[in-house]
Amino acid sequence: MAYGVEHQRLGELLLKAGVITEKRLSDALEEQRATGMRLGEILIKNGYIADKQLAQALSAQLKLPLVSLARFRPAPEAVRLVPEAVAKRLEVVPMSVRSDNRLAVAVADPLNIFAIDELRMITGMEVEVNVASISDIRRALEAIYSVQGRIDEAMVEVANEAHEEEMRISEEGTRPDDAPVIKLVNNIIEQAVKEEASDIHIEPFERSTRVRFRVDGVLFDSADFSKNLHPAVISRVKIMANMDITEKRRPQDGRILMKVDGRRIDLRISTLPTINGEKAVIRILDPATAKVGLENLGLDEEERKVIDELITIPYGLILVTGPTGSGKSTTLYSMLETLNKSQVNVVTVEDPVEYTIHGVNQVQVNEKAGLTFGETLRSILRQDPDKIMIGEIRDTETASLAIRAALTGHLVLSTLHTNDAPSSLIRLIDMGIQPFLVASSVEAAMAQRLVRKLCDACKAPLPIESGALERLGLPKDAVTYGPVGCDICRGTGYKGRTGIYEIMVMNEELRHLAQSNAPLGALREAAMREGMRPLRQAALDKVLRGVTSLEEALSVTMQQ
């Protein structure tokens, strides 16, 4: 049988690596002759081999570096050397330009010598080959050229402007919708939504502007562009959010509603003047990625039972505590979804409304119009509510009204910024609430954090020294898992996040301690006697179940 040299070598390599059988190779080669498709594509299409396996086998047999492009940001000068059409046709990702006039690239088929030769002729440089999976390469090409192409177009536009006034996008938005800066901003937002990012950071520095996405709680670089382009990008964001583009010395907030992939995305914008210009942070509120629902929070069986019992009480105050970004709002919305019944009047006061629940009366605070938390709460109490959700207790007035509502026959759900559950009682007293009111109104406090979940597709057992396990209170024979990295998790080893919880349910002893203004240590000891599991222990339990890594658990909790 006569096959192309490169295809014959690929088959031999895969046989040698033990990832396919001779029968499957023979069938794939037969199909290759009939269809003209690449052998690797046929093997993947027919399920004979995964694209990651193919990349690993080629890397090992050819002794070429195996790279993950999931969180890799290529050098702009490398991207400009290879036109988009060429990169996509050859399925090659330009990575960087070496000082010795070498272009580093990632390819799925390093045996395709014609592609390497074409790159050498186009760039006039020697080509340094790395191996990546085909899915990784295609995903990276889409992300790289969509944003980098817009950056280059926008830079040309800005360079052609004669004066700064002409460069600035006017407040009336007179530029056409296909202007390069508009395309660039839209591409950045669309890419962040595809990456399931929660935030976009657009940060000016002395010579350049950096764009970063926050995914699963971790920031990673997405793009860089020249500082000259920064004012136009920030102006475009401000116009979209109905903000004042002439005010650059004070922080501003705004909101954008736009459609991405056919669904509505809510964006909250915050700008902050820095020494190098205005920084913008865009919070992405995407209903498609919101994990609302008690079944999605990561509660174990006992925790779920406690929460189910708590939200059935007729009145009282339930507090959810934790730092910004710990998932408090998602927990409150999940409770509201369970409480939301046709015979119950549920009203919320929020700043901002992050998730819309059909059947719930949601009110957004508007400080500029005089609609404060306090003013809204007073009005809500005249609206015959059964259940009330307050986005955050942030001052004495809001705390007093929440306590009053809880003591007059309403179930009130709210959040506080405290590090643990027992601290919430002390925080309310510090805000000026009388200890006896705190003791009689609070029914429970729940502290929480978010930990990254290990990717189920690639996590692997990770040996831990027995002494370290013993110091953490874990069994000496405990099996823990660690991150590896694959295409599914974009090379990070983690996929998604889950909550860990510290639930303190009030009893007579805790009420007595709160009323007598007891110290935090006494409250914590009493809560643990009642059955409260500390955050650190909740995190370690998820480590033992293989949900997260020991490193992740220790990074988000403290020993108390």
Side-chain angles (χ1 to χ4, degrees), residues 7 10 14 28-29 31-32 35-51 54 58 88-91 108-109 112 134-135 137-138:
H7 292 311
L10 174 59
L14 296 177
L29 288 169
E31 185 176 341
Q32 192 272 333
T35 63
M37 290 176 62
R38 294 178 183 175
L39 179 61
E41 287 184 3
I42 294 170
L43 293 170
I44 294 169
K45 175 181 70 72
N46 292 341
Y48 296 162
I49 187 173
D51 62 348
L54 177 59
L58 288 170
K88 290 186 174 179
R89 175 169 55 82
L90 300 180
E91 293 187 324
D109 185 3
N112 186 351
I134 188 63
S135 60
I137 282 176
R138 288 171 179 168

PDB file of all heavy atoms in Angstrom, residues 7 10 14 28-29 31-32 35-51 54 58 88-91 108-109 112 134-135 137-138:
ATOM      1  N   HIS A   7       1.982  10.666   6.207  1.00  0.00           N
ATOM      2  CA  HIS A   7       0.877   9.911   6.786  1.00  0.00           C
ATOM      3  C   HIS A   7       1.353   8.548   7.271  1.00  0.00           C
ATOM      4  O   HIS A   7       0.928   8.061   8.308  1.00  0.00           O
ATOM      5  CB  HIS A   7      -0.248   9.741   5.761  1.00  0.00           C
ATOM      6  CG  HIS A   7      -0.927  11.038   5.431  1.00  0.00           C
ATOM      7  ND1 HIS A   7      -1.367  11.912   6.384  1.00  0.00           N
ATOM      8  CD2 HIS A   7      -1.199  11.609   4.236  1.00  0.00           C
ATOM      9  CE1 HIS A   7      -1.914  12.963   5.804  1.00  0.00           C
ATOM     10  NE2 HIS A   7      -1.817  12.810   4.494  1.00  0.00           N
ATOM     11  N   LEU A  10       3.063   9.080  10.499  1.00  0.00           N
ATOM     12  CA  LEU A  10       2.128   9.342  11.589  1.00  0.00           C
ATOM     13  C   LEU A  10       1.533   8.035  12.097  1.00  0.00           C
ATOM     14  O   LEU A  10       1.455   7.789  13.304  1.00  0.00           O
ATOM     15  CB  LEU A  10       1.005  10.286  11.123  1.00  0.00           C
ATOM     16  CG  LEU A  10      -0.126  10.546  12.127  1.00  0.00           C
ATOM     17  CD1 LEU A  10       0.423  11.159  13.407  1.00  0.00           C
ATOM     18  CD2 LEU A  10      -1.197  11.439  11.516  1.00  0.00           C
ATOM     19  N   LEU A  14       2.003   6.407  15.897  1.00  0.00           N
ATOM     20  CA  LEU A  14       0.880   6.108  16.780  1.00  0.00           C
ATOM     21  C   LEU A  14       0.863   4.625  17.168  1.00  0.00           C
ATOM     22  O   LEU A  14       0.513   4.275  18.296  1.00  0.00           O
ATOM     23  CB  LEU A  14      -0.437   6.502  16.114  1.00  0.00           C
ATOM     24  CG  LEU A  14      -0.609   8.004  15.842  1.00  0.00           C
ATOM     25  CD1 LEU A  14      -1.913   8.278  15.116  1.00  0.00           C
ATOM     26  CD2 LEU A  14      -0.551   8.802  17.137  1.00  0.00           C
ATOM     27  N   ALA A  28      -8.605   3.628   8.944  1.00  0.00           N
ATOM     28  CA  ALA A  28      -8.482   5.075   8.808  1.00  0.00           C
ATOM     29  C   ALA A  28      -7.761   5.449   7.522  1.00  0.00           C
ATOM     30  O   ALA A  28      -8.127   6.400   6.825  1.00  0.00           O
ATOM     31  CB  ALA A  28      -7.754   5.658  10.020  1.00  0.00           C
ATOM     32  N   LEU A  29      -6.718   4.681   7.154  1.00  0.00           N
ATOM     33  CA  LEU A  29      -5.995   4.952   5.916  1.00  0.00           C
ATOM     34  C   LEU A  29      -6.877   4.700   4.696  1.00  0.00           C
ATOM     35  O   LEU A  29      -6.798   5.419   3.694  1.00  0.00           O
ATOM     36  CB  LEU A  29      -4.734   4.086   5.863  1.00  0.00           C
ATOM     37  CG  LEU A  29      -3.606   4.494   6.825  1.00  0.00           C
ATOM     38  CD1 LEU A  29      -2.534   3.420   6.870  1.00  0.00           C
ATOM     39  CD2 LEU A  29      -3.012   5.833   6.408  1.00  0.00           C
ATOM     40  N   GLU A  31     -10.110   5.108   4.626  1.00  0.00           N
ATOM     41  CA  GLU A  31     -11.009   6.273   4.566  1.00  0.00           C
ATOM     42  C   GLU A  31     -10.263   7.509   4.076  1.00  0.00           C
ATOM     43  O   GLU A  31     -10.812   8.318   3.334  1.00  0.00           O
ATOM     44  CB  GLU A  31     -11.617   6.540   5.943  1.00  0.00           C
ATOM     45  CG  GLU A  31     -12.650   7.664   5.941  1.00  0.00           C
ATOM     46  CD  GLU A  31     -13.321   7.849   7.294  1.00  0.00           C
ATOM     47  OE1 GLU A  31     -13.268   6.923   8.130  1.00  0.00           O
ATOM     48  OE2 GLU A  31     -13.905   8.939   7.513  1.00  0.00           O
ATOM     49  N   GLN A  32      -8.988   7.607   4.447  1.00  0.00           N
ATOM     50  CA  GLN A  32      -8.185   8.756   4.024  1.00  0.00           C
ATOM     51  C   GLN A  32      -8.017   8.775   2.503  1.00  0.00           C
ATOM     52  O   GLN A  32      -8.115   9.820   1.859  1.00  0.00           O
ATOM     53  CB  GLN A  32      -6.826   8.717   4.724  1.00  0.00           C
ATOM     54  CG  GLN A  32      -6.002   9.986   4.590  1.00  0.00           C
ATOM     55  CD  GLN A  32      -5.134   9.998   3.352  1.00  0.00           C
ATOM     56  OE1 GLN A  32      -4.742   8.942   2.849  1.00  0.00           O
ATOM     57  NE2 GLN A  32      -4.847  11.187   2.845  1.00  0.00           N
ATOM     58  N   THR A  35     -11.496   9.872   0.997  1.00  0.00           N
ATOM     59  CA  THR A  35     -12.023  11.216   1.273  1.00  0.00           C
ATOM     60  C   THR A  35     -11.001  12.329   1.109  1.00  0.00           C
ATOM     61  O   THR A  35     -11.376  13.495   0.925  1.00  0.00           O
ATOM     62  CB  THR A  35     -12.559  11.288   2.715  1.00  0.00           C
ATOM     63  OG1 THR A  35     -11.479  11.075   3.638  1.00  0.00           O
ATOM     64  CG2 THR A  35     -13.640  10.239   2.941  1.00  0.00           C
ATOM     65  N   GLY A  36      -9.720  11.996   1.215  1.00  0.00           N
ATOM     66  CA  GLY A  36      -8.704  13.035   1.148  1.00  0.00           C
ATOM     67  C   GLY A  36      -8.503  13.780   2.455  1.00  0.00           C
ATOM     68  O   GLY A  36      -7.708  14.720   2.521  1.00  0.00           O
ATOM     69  N   MET A  37      -9.220  13.384   3.498  1.00  0.00           N
ATOM     70  CA  MET A  37      -9.051  14.031   4.806  1.00  0.00           C
ATOM     71  C   MET A  37      -7.705  13.661   5.411  1.00  0.00           C
ATOM     72  O   MET A  37      -7.103  12.656   5.049  1.00  0.00           O
ATOM     73  CB  MET A  37     -10.178  13.589   5.763  1.00  0.00           C
ATOM     74  CG  MET A  37     -11.551  14.126   5.428  1.00  0.00           C
ATOM     75  SD  MET A  37     -12.806  13.438   6.559  1.00  0.00           S
ATOM     76  CE  MET A  37     -12.225  14.066   8.143  1.00  0.00           C
ATOM     77  N   ARG A  38      -7.260  14.484   6.358  1.00  0.00           N
ATOM     78  CA  ARG A  38      -6.025  14.173   7.064  1.00  0.00           C
ATOM     79  C   ARG A  38      -6.238  12.960   7.966  1.00  0.00           C
ATOM     80  O   ARG A  38      -7.304  12.769   8.535  1.00  0.00           O
ATOM     81  CB  ARG A  38      -5.575  15.369   7.908  1.00  0.00           C
ATOM     82  CG  ARG A  38      -5.177  16.581   7.088  1.00  0.00           C
ATOM     83  CD  ARG A  38      -4.792  17.719   8.005  1.00  0.00           C
ATOM     84  NE  ARG A  38      -4.474  18.924   7.259  1.00  0.00           N
ATOM     85  CZ  ARG A  38      -4.205  20.092   7.810  1.00  0.00           C
ATOM     86  NH1 ARG A  38      -4.231  20.216   9.126  1.00  0.00           N
ATOM     87  NH2 ARG A  38      -3.917  21.140   7.066  1.00  0.00           N
ATOM     88  N   LEU A  39      -5.176  12.161   8.076  1.00  0.00           N
ATOM     89  CA  LEU A  39      -5.276  10.946   8.868  1.00  0.00           C
ATOM     90  C   LEU A  39      -5.644  11.248  10.315  1.00  0.00           C
ATOM     91  O   LEU A  39      -6.508  10.575  10.905  1.00  0.00           O
ATOM     92  CB  LEU A  39      -3.947  10.179   8.815  1.00  0.00           C
ATOM     93  CG  LEU A  39      -3.882   8.878   9.615  1.00  0.00           C
ATOM     94  CD1 LEU A  39      -4.918   7.882   9.120  1.00  0.00           C
ATOM     95  CD2 LEU A  39      -2.484   8.281   9.560  1.00  0.00           C
ATOM     96  N   GLY A  40      -5.010  12.262  10.883  1.00  0.00           N
ATOM     97  CA  GLY A  40      -5.295  12.620  12.279  1.00  0.00           C
ATOM     98  C   GLY A  40      -6.751  12.981  12.480  1.00  0.00           C
ATOM     99  O   GLY A  40      -7.374  12.580  13.468  1.00  0.00           O
ATOM    100  N   GLU A  41      -7.322  13.742  11.531  1.00  0.00           N
ATOM    101  CA  GLU A  41      -8.730  14.147  11.637  1.00  0.00           C
ATOM    102  C   GLU A  41      -9.644  12.927  11.605  1.00  0.00           C
ATOM    103  O   GLU A  41     -10.644  12.857  12.322  1.00  0.00           O
ATOM    104  CB  GLU A  41      -9.092  15.103  10.499  1.00  0.00           C
ATOM    105  CG  GLU A  41      -8.499  16.493  10.640  1.00  0.00           C
ATOM    106  CD  GLU A  41      -8.966  17.421   9.537  1.00  0.00           C
ATOM    107  OE1 GLU A  41      -9.792  16.977   8.710  1.00  0.00           O
ATOM    108  OE2 GLU A  41      -8.508  18.570   9.501  1.00  0.00           O
ATOM    109  N   ILE A  42      -9.315  11.963  10.742  1.00  0.00           N
ATOM    110  CA  ILE A  42     -10.135  10.751  10.633  1.00  0.00           C
ATOM    111  C   ILE A  42     -10.086   9.955  11.937  1.00  0.00           C
ATOM    112  O   ILE A  42     -11.112   9.475  12.430  1.00  0.00           O
ATOM    113  CB  ILE A  42      -9.662   9.887   9.441  1.00  0.00           C
ATOM    114  CG1 ILE A  42      -9.912  10.620   8.129  1.00  0.00           C
ATOM    115  CG2 ILE A  42     -10.355   8.529   9.448  1.00  0.00           C
ATOM    116  CD1 ILE A  42      -9.275   9.956   6.914  1.00  0.00           C
ATOM    117  N   LEU A  43      -8.899   9.803  12.492  1.00  0.00           N
ATOM    118  CA  LEU A  43      -8.754   9.048  13.742  1.00  0.00           C
ATOM    119  C   LEU A  43      -9.565   9.688  14.863  1.00  0.00           C
ATOM    120  O   LEU A  43     -10.216   9.001  15.655  1.00  0.00           O
ATOM    121  CB  LEU A  43      -7.278   8.976  14.131  1.00  0.00           C
ATOM    122  CG  LEU A  43      -6.374   8.153  13.204  1.00  0.00           C
ATOM    123  CD1 LEU A  43      -4.916   8.365  13.576  1.00  0.00           C
ATOM    124  CD2 LEU A  43      -6.743   6.674  13.262  1.00  0.00           C
ATOM    125  N   ILE A  44      -9.545  11.027  14.935  1.00  0.00           N
ATOM    126  CA  ILE A  44     -10.294  11.743  15.979  1.00  0.00           C
ATOM    127  C   ILE A  44     -11.786  11.646  15.713  1.00  0.00           C
ATOM    128  O   ILE A  44     -12.588  11.385  16.616  1.00  0.00           O
ATOM    129  CB  ILE A  44      -9.823  13.218  16.050  1.00  0.00           C
ATOM    130  CG1 ILE A  44      -8.372  13.288  16.535  1.00  0.00           C
ATOM    131  CG2 ILE A  44     -10.732  14.018  16.971  1.00  0.00           C
ATOM    132  CD1 ILE A  44      -7.740  14.657  16.374  1.00  0.00           C
ATOM    133  N   LYS A  45     -12.187  11.853  14.440  1.00  0.00           N
ATOM    134  CA  LYS A  45     -13.604  11.832  14.068  1.00  0.00           C
ATOM    135  C   LYS A  45     -14.253  10.491  14.388  1.00  0.00           C
ATOM    136  O   LYS A  45     -15.393  10.428  14.870  1.00  0.00           O
ATOM    137  CB  LYS A  45     -13.753  12.151  12.577  1.00  0.00           C
ATOM    138  CG  LYS A  45     -15.178  12.035  12.038  1.00  0.00           C
ATOM    139  CD  LYS A  45     -15.240  12.334  10.555  1.00  0.00           C
ATOM    140  CE  LYS A  45     -14.603  11.256   9.718  1.00  0.00           C
ATOM    141  NZ  LYS A  45     -15.404  10.002   9.670  1.00  0.00           N
ATOM    142  N   ASN A  46     -13.525   9.422  14.146  1.00  0.00           N
ATOM    143  CA  ASN A  46     -14.072   8.082  14.366  1.00  0.00           C
ATOM    144  C   ASN A  46     -13.948   7.606  15.810  1.00  0.00           C
ATOM    145  O   ASN A  46     -14.354   6.495  16.140  1.00  0.00           O
ATOM    146  CB  ASN A  46     -13.379   7.077  13.440  1.00  0.00           C
ATOM    147  CG  ASN A  46     -13.717   7.303  11.974  1.00  0.00           C
ATOM    148  OD1 ASN A  46     -14.704   7.959  11.655  1.00  0.00           O
ATOM    149  ND2 ASN A  46     -12.902   6.761  11.081  1.00  0.00           N
ATOM    150  N   GLY A  47     -13.375   8.448  16.654  1.00  0.00           N
ATOM    151  CA  GLY A  47     -13.251   8.096  18.060  1.00  0.00           C
ATOM    152  C   GLY A  47     -12.147   7.093  18.353  1.00  0.00           C
ATOM    153  O   GLY A  47     -12.113   6.497  19.425  1.00  0.00           O
ATOM    154  N   TYR A  48     -11.223   6.896  17.376  1.00  0.00           N
ATOM    155  CA  TYR A  48     -10.115   5.965  17.592  1.00  0.00           C
ATOM    156  C   TYR A  48      -9.082   6.536  18.567  1.00  0.00           C
ATOM    157  O   TYR A  48      -8.351   5.790  19.215  1.00  0.00           O
ATOM    158  CB  TYR A  48      -9.422   5.639  16.264  1.00  0.00           C
ATOM    159  CG  TYR A  48     -10.287   4.899  15.258  1.00  0.00           C
ATOM    160  CD1 TYR A  48      -9.957   4.866  13.911  1.00  0.00           C
ATOM    161  CD2 TYR A  48     -11.439   4.219  15.665  1.00  0.00           C
ATOM    162  CE1 TYR A  48     -10.735   4.190  12.981  1.00  0.00           C
ATOM    163  CE2 TYR A  48     -12.223   3.547  14.749  1.00  0.00           C
ATOM    164  CZ  TYR A  48     -11.871   3.538  13.409  1.00  0.00           C
ATOM    165  OH  TYR A  48     -12.647   2.869  12.498  1.00  0.00           O
ATOM    166  N   ILE A  49      -9.015   7.863  18.625  1.00  0.00           N
ATOM    167  CA  ILE A  49      -8.024   8.534  19.466  1.00  0.00           C
ATOM    168  C   ILE A  49      -8.547   9.932  19.797  1.00  0.00           C
ATOM    169  O   ILE A  49      -9.222  10.560  18.980  1.00  0.00           O
ATOM    170  CB  ILE A  49      -6.651   8.613  18.738  1.00  0.00           C
ATOM    171  CG1 ILE A  49      -5.585   9.163  19.667  1.00  0.00           C
ATOM    172  CG2 ILE A  49      -6.755   9.435  17.466  1.00  0.00           C
ATOM    173  CD1 ILE A  49      -4.180   9.106  19.058  1.00  0.00           C
ATOM    174  N   ALA A  50      -8.272  10.415  20.997  1.00  0.00           N
ATOM    175  CA  ALA A  50      -8.642  11.789  21.374  1.00  0.00           C
ATOM    176  C   ALA A  50      -7.567  12.738  20.865  1.00  0.00           C
ATOM    177  O   ALA A  50      -6.403  12.362  20.722  1.00  0.00           O
ATOM    178  CB  ALA A  50      -8.778  11.903  22.890  1.00  0.00           C
ATOM    179  N   ASP A  51      -7.968  13.982  20.567  1.00  0.00           N
ATOM    180  CA  ASP A  51      -6.978  14.914  20.012  1.00  0.00           C
ATOM    181  C   ASP A  51      -5.846  15.184  20.999  1.00  0.00           C
ATOM    182  O   ASP A  51      -4.703  15.401  20.608  1.00  0.00           O
ATOM    183  CB  ASP A  51      -7.646  16.211  19.554  1.00  0.00           C
ATOM    184  CG  ASP A  51      -8.320  16.986  20.670  1.00  0.00           C
ATOM    185  OD1 ASP A  51      -8.484  16.431  21.770  1.00  0.00           O
ATOM    186  OD2 ASP A  51      -8.680  18.152  20.441  1.00  0.00           O
ATOM    187  N   LEU A  54      -3.438  12.311  20.659  1.00  0.00           N
ATOM    188  CA  LEU A  54      -2.660  12.459  19.436  1.00  0.00           C
ATOM    189  C   LEU A  54      -1.501  13.430  19.657  1.00  0.00           C
ATOM    190  O   LEU A  54      -0.359  13.156  19.280  1.00  0.00           O
ATOM    191  CB  LEU A  54      -3.559  12.949  18.300  1.00  0.00           C
ATOM    192  CG  LEU A  54      -2.881  13.228  16.957  1.00  0.00           C
ATOM    193  CD1 LEU A  54      -2.197  11.977  16.429  1.00  0.00           C
ATOM    194  CD2 LEU A  54      -3.893  13.757  15.943  1.00  0.00           C
ATOM    195  N   LEU A  58       2.533  12.463  19.542  1.00  0.00           N
ATOM    196  CA  LEU A  58       3.449  13.131  18.622  1.00  0.00           C
ATOM    197  C   LEU A  58       4.575  13.829  19.375  1.00  0.00           C
ATOM    198  O   LEU A  58       5.737  13.800  18.963  1.00  0.00           O
ATOM    199  CB  LEU A  58       2.673  14.142  17.768  1.00  0.00           C
ATOM    200  CG  LEU A  58       1.752  13.549  16.699  1.00  0.00           C
ATOM    201  CD1 LEU A  58       0.858  14.630  16.107  1.00  0.00           C
ATOM    202  CD2 LEU A  58       2.565  12.882  15.602  1.00  0.00           C
ATOM    203  N   LYS A  88      -5.125  30.015   9.784  1.00  0.00           N
ATOM    204  CA  LYS A  88      -6.290  29.137   9.887  1.00  0.00           C
ATOM    205  C   LYS A  88      -6.235  28.009   8.859  1.00  0.00           C
ATOM    206  O   LYS A  88      -6.675  26.891   9.135  1.00  0.00           O
ATOM    207  CB  LYS A  88      -7.567  29.959   9.750  1.00  0.00           C
ATOM    208  CG  LYS A  88      -7.821  30.852  10.952  1.00  0.00           C
ATOM    209  CD  LYS A  88      -9.165  31.559  10.900  1.00  0.00           C
ATOM    210  CE  LYS A  88      -9.428  32.322  12.198  1.00  0.00           C
ATOM    211  NZ  LYS A  88     -10.715  33.039  12.187  1.00  0.00           N
ATOM    212  N   ARG A  89      -5.690  28.293   7.670  1.00  0.00           N
ATOM    213  CA  ARG A  89      -5.577  27.236   6.648  1.00  0.00           C
ATOM    214  C   ARG A  89      -4.566  26.180   7.079  1.00  0.00           C
ATOM    215  O   ARG A  89      -4.809  24.972   6.934  1.00  0.00           O
ATOM    216  CB  ARG A  89      -5.183  27.858   5.308  1.00  0.00           C
ATOM    217  CG  ARG A  89      -4.920  26.832   4.214  1.00  0.00           C
ATOM    218  CD  ARG A  89      -4.801  27.500   2.841  1.00  0.00           C
ATOM    219  NE  ARG A  89      -3.788  28.537   2.833  1.00  0.00           N
ATOM    220  CZ  ARG A  89      -2.482  28.327   2.690  1.00  0.00           C
ATOM    221  NH1 ARG A  89      -2.020  27.095   2.558  1.00  0.00           N
ATOM    222  NH2 ARG A  89      -1.633  29.335   2.657  1.00  0.00           N
ATOM    223  N   LEU A  90      -3.439  26.617   7.619  1.00  0.00           N
ATOM    224  CA  LEU A  90      -2.403  25.678   8.039  1.00  0.00           C
ATOM    225  C   LEU A  90      -2.627  25.148   9.448  1.00  0.00           C
ATOM    226  O   LEU A  90      -1.946  24.221   9.880  1.00  0.00           O
ATOM    227  CB  LEU A  90      -1.024  26.353   7.971  1.00  0.00           C
ATOM    228  CG  LEU A  90      -0.570  26.871   6.606  1.00  0.00           C
ATOM    229  CD1 LEU A  90       0.806  27.507   6.724  1.00  0.00           C
ATOM    230  CD2 LEU A  90      -0.543  25.738   5.565  1.00  0.00           C
ATOM    231  N   GLU A  91      -3.579  25.768  10.163  1.00  0.00           N
ATOM    232  CA  GLU A  91      -3.868  25.434  11.562  1.00  0.00           C
ATOM    233  C   GLU A  91      -2.589  25.503  12.397  1.00  0.00           C
ATOM    234  O   GLU A  91      -2.145  24.519  12.992  1.00  0.00           O
ATOM    235  CB  GLU A  91      -4.549  24.064  11.665  1.00  0.00           C
ATOM    236  CG  GLU A  91      -5.935  24.093  11.036  1.00  0.00           C
ATOM    237  CD  GLU A  91      -6.739  22.827  11.237  1.00  0.00           C
ATOM    238  OE1 GLU A  91      -6.121  21.736  11.230  1.00  0.00           O
ATOM    239  OE2 GLU A  91      -7.969  22.918  11.399  1.00  0.00           O
ATOM    240  N   ALA A 108      -0.749  21.142  15.227  1.00  0.00           N
ATOM    241  CA  ALA A 108      -1.314  19.842  15.608  1.00  0.00           C
ATOM    242  C   ALA A 108      -0.628  18.715  14.843  1.00  0.00           C
ATOM    243  O   ALA A 108      -0.576  17.583  15.313  1.00  0.00           O
ATOM    244  CB  ALA A 108      -2.814  19.819  15.351  1.00  0.00           C
ATOM    245  N   ASP A 109      -0.102  19.048  13.640  1.00  0.00           N
ATOM    246  CA  ASP A 109       0.528  18.030  12.799  1.00  0.00           C
ATOM    247  C   ASP A 109       1.952  18.446  12.457  1.00  0.00           C
ATOM    248  O   ASP A 109       2.213  19.055  11.419  1.00  0.00           O
ATOM    249  CB  ASP A 109      -0.291  17.849  11.517  1.00  0.00           C
ATOM    250  CG  ASP A 109       0.249  16.711  10.638  1.00  0.00           C
ATOM    251  OD1 ASP A 109       1.211  16.054  11.066  1.00  0.00           O
ATOM    252  OD2 ASP A 109      -0.300  16.511   9.538  1.00  0.00           O
ATOM    253  N   ASN A 112       3.608  17.681   8.983  1.00  0.00           N
ATOM    254  CA  ASN A 112       3.223  18.388   7.755  1.00  0.00           C
ATOM    255  C   ASN A 112       4.340  19.363   7.380  1.00  0.00           C
ATOM    256  O   ASN A 112       4.298  20.546   7.711  1.00  0.00           O
ATOM    257  CB  ASN A 112       1.900  19.123   7.971  1.00  0.00           C
ATOM    258  CG  ASN A 112       1.365  19.749   6.683  1.00  0.00           C
ATOM    259  OD1 ASN A 112       2.059  19.774   5.651  1.00  0.00           O
ATOM    260  ND2 ASN A 112       0.152  20.245   6.745  1.00  0.00           N
ATOM    261  N   ILE A 134      -5.543  19.777  18.310  1.00  0.00           N
ATOM    262  CA  ILE A 134      -6.221  20.521  17.248  1.00  0.00           C
ATOM    263  C   ILE A 134      -7.344  21.390  17.814  1.00  0.00           C
ATOM    264  O   ILE A 134      -7.573  22.510  17.344  1.00  0.00           O
ATOM    265  CB  ILE A 134      -6.746  19.565  16.148  1.00  0.00           C
ATOM    266  CG1 ILE A 134      -7.272  20.349  14.952  1.00  0.00           C
ATOM    267  CG2 ILE A 134      -7.804  18.634  16.693  1.00  0.00           C
ATOM    268  CD1 ILE A 134      -6.226  21.172  14.246  1.00  0.00           C
ATOM    269  N   SER A 135      -8.052  20.897  18.825  1.00  0.00           N
ATOM    270  CA  SER A 135      -9.127  21.714  19.404  1.00  0.00           C
ATOM    271  C   SER A 135      -8.560  22.944  20.098  1.00  0.00           C
ATOM    272  O   SER A 135      -9.124  24.033  20.027  1.00  0.00           O
ATOM    273  CB  SER A 135      -9.956  20.884  20.395  1.00  0.00           C
ATOM    274  OG  SER A 135      -9.141  20.398  21.444  1.00  0.00           O
ATOM    275  N   ILE A 137      -5.783  24.465  19.258  1.00  0.00           N
ATOM    276  CA  ILE A 137      -5.309  25.380  18.214  1.00  0.00           C
ATOM    277  C   ILE A 137      -6.471  26.152  17.589  1.00  0.00           C
ATOM    278  O   ILE A 137      -6.404  27.373  17.411  1.00  0.00           O
ATOM    279  CB  ILE A 137      -4.526  24.594  17.145  1.00  0.00           C
ATOM    280  CG1 ILE A 137      -3.122  24.287  17.691  1.00  0.00           C
ATOM    281  CG2 ILE A 137      -4.439  25.360  15.832  1.00  0.00           C
ATOM    282  CD1 ILE A 137      -2.273  23.447  16.790  1.00  0.00           C
ATOM    283  N   ARG A 138      -7.549  25.465  17.270  1.00  0.00           N
ATOM    284  CA  ARG A 138      -8.682  26.144  16.636  1.00  0.00           C
ATOM    285  C   ARG A 138      -9.316  27.173  17.571  1.00  0.00           C
ATOM    286  O   ARG A 138      -9.713  28.261  17.157  1.00  0.00           O
ATOM    287  CB  ARG A 138      -9.716  25.119  16.184  1.00  0.00           C
ATOM    288  CG  ARG A 138      -9.236  24.316  14.983  1.00  0.00           C
ATOM    289  CD  ARG A 138     -10.157  23.156  14.651  1.00  0.00           C
ATOM    290  NE  ARG A 138      -9.666  22.430  13.478  1.00  0.00           N
ATOM    291  CZ  ARG A 138     -10.129  21.248  13.086  1.00  0.00           C
ATOM    292  NH1 ARG A 138     -11.098  20.645  13.774  1.00  0.00           N
ATOM    293  NH2 ARG A 138      -9.625  20.663  12.016  1.00  0.00           N
TER     294      ARG A 138
END
